[in-house]
Amino acid sequence: MQRMDRSLPHRRYNPLTDEWILVSPQRATRPWLGAVEKLAQARRPEYDPACYLCPGNTRANGAVNPPYTGVYVFDNDFPALLETPRAAPGVEESSAQSPILRSQLETGVCRVICFSPRHDLTLAELPVAQIRAVVDAWAAQCEELGARDDIAYIQLFENKGEMMGASNPHPHGQLWATRHIPTEIAKETRGQLNYLLGRRNCDGQPAGLPLLLDYLALERTAGERIIFENAHFVCLVPFWAIWPFETMILPKRHVRRIVELTEPERDALADALKRLTTRYDNLFEVAFPYTMGVHQAPYDGEPHEEWQMHLHFYPPLLRSATVRKFMVGYELLAQPQRDLTPEQAAERLRGLSEARFA
Ligand code: H2U
Ligand code: ZN
C-alpha cells in the first residue's frame, strides 16, 4: 500500500472517537531546538502539616485522615455527584418532553485516591511496588463500584501539576463513578463496536479482534510510534494523538476492564507507569504535568467484547517546562491541530532515559 507524504499538512482519523485531527509538520516548530528553560523546583517536605491529604491531617470538612502507610481512598468531601439526590416533589428525574431540551438526573460516587503517604513524591518517583498498590486500589474500587446496579461507568484519573488544575502536589488521583456512561466512553464504545460489527463472518457473527488489538499489531509492525513495551503492555504515541506528547498504554491481550488484569499484568502495568512517567519527567527535567486515566468497558451488565482497556496520558507541555500547547482558536472551533508529528514525539520519548533526572 502506498503511504502518503506525511511531511505535508494532512489529517488523521481517530477510529476510537470517529474524529479527525489536523497535522501540520511543515510548520517550523522544532521543539527539540532552541533554549529549554528549566524551572527551579523547591523540594517538598515528606510530610506537610498544612496538606489535607497527608496522613493524620484534618481535611477541609473536618474529617481526619488515618495514619495511612500505603494507598488511601476516601469519599470526596466536595463531590461533583451525589449518591441519592432528591428531586423536588412533583419534579421528574429526567425530561425529554422536547427532543431539544433534554436532561437527566445524574447520580454517582466521587473518591480521592492518595497514591502514597509521602507528600514529596510523584507517581514517577514512587517505587514500582507502591505503583502496583495503586493499580490494586484502582481494581478494588472498580470491583466494588462496578457490582452496583446504580453505577454504569467508573472513571479513574489523575490530574497532575498546577498547569492541569491539580489542587495539591501530594500524589493523588480521583474516581468518578456514574449511573450513565459519560460522553468519551460512549464515543469509544461506538468506535470499537462499529469496528467489530464491521468484521462479521458468513454467519453474521462478529469475527476478528477488537479494534485496539488490530491497531496494536499494526503499531508493533511499524514500530515508529512505540516508546517501549514490557511483557504485558505497550506504550505508544497514538497515530491520531492530539496533545504534543500524548501517549497510550495498551495491554497485549484482550482485557476489557482493569478488574480482569492478572497479578503479573498488574506488575507490568505498574512497571509501564513508572517508566512512562519517568521518561516524561526527563523530557523537560520537570515534574511533568498531565491528565491521565484508565478507559475501560462500562460496568452496565453488558459483556462489551468490543472493548479493550487502555490508559490515556494527555500532557499539555510542548517545548519546555513552561511552554504549553493551548487548545484554542481553530482547535476549539474546528478541529484539533498539531505541528510535531506523533512519530517525532515518539522518537523523542524513546530516546529518553528511564532513570529520573536528579
Ligand atoms: P484534584 O487535585 O485533582 O483537584 O483533587 C483533589 C480533590 O480533593 C478535589 O476533588 C478533594 C477536592 O474536592 N478534596 C477533599 O475531598 N477534601 C479536602 O479536604 C480538600 C480537597
Ligand atoms: Zn501531603
Side-chain angles (χ1 to χ4, degrees), residues 51-53 58-63 65 74-80 110-113 157-161 164-170 172-174 176:
C51 169
Y52 57 76
L53 297 180
T58 303
R59 299 206 300 271
N61 73 341
N65 297 325
F74 64 90
D75 285 325
N76 197 313
D77 302 313
F78 308 97
C110 296
R111 290 181 180 156
V112 179
I113 303 166
F157 66 98
E158 178 191 9
N159 282 330
K160 183 181 159 208
M164 292 310 277
S167 58
N168 184 330
H170 193 113
H172 70 284
Q174 298 190 44
W176 294 19

Side-chain angles (χ1 to χ4, degrees), residues 46-48 51-55 57 68 117-120 168-171:
E46 286 185 25
Y47 166 77
D48 177 353
C51 169
Y52 57 76
L53 297 180
C54 274
N57 289 0
Y68 67 95
R118 287 277 299 266
H119 184 80
D120 57 331
N168 184 330
H170 193 113

Side-chain angles (χ1 to χ4, degrees), residues 240-251:
W240 50 80
I242 291 174
W243 294 92
F245 293 98
E246 176 177 335
T247 57
M248 211 172 175
I249 297 178
L250 285 157

Side-chain angles (χ1 to χ4, degrees), residues 68-73 113-117 130 132-135 137-138:
Y68 67 95
T69 55
V71 175
Y72 170 55
V73 183
I113 303 166
C114 298
F115 296 158
S116 159
Q130 184 60 26
R132 164 66 203 261
V134 173
V135 172
W138 282 344

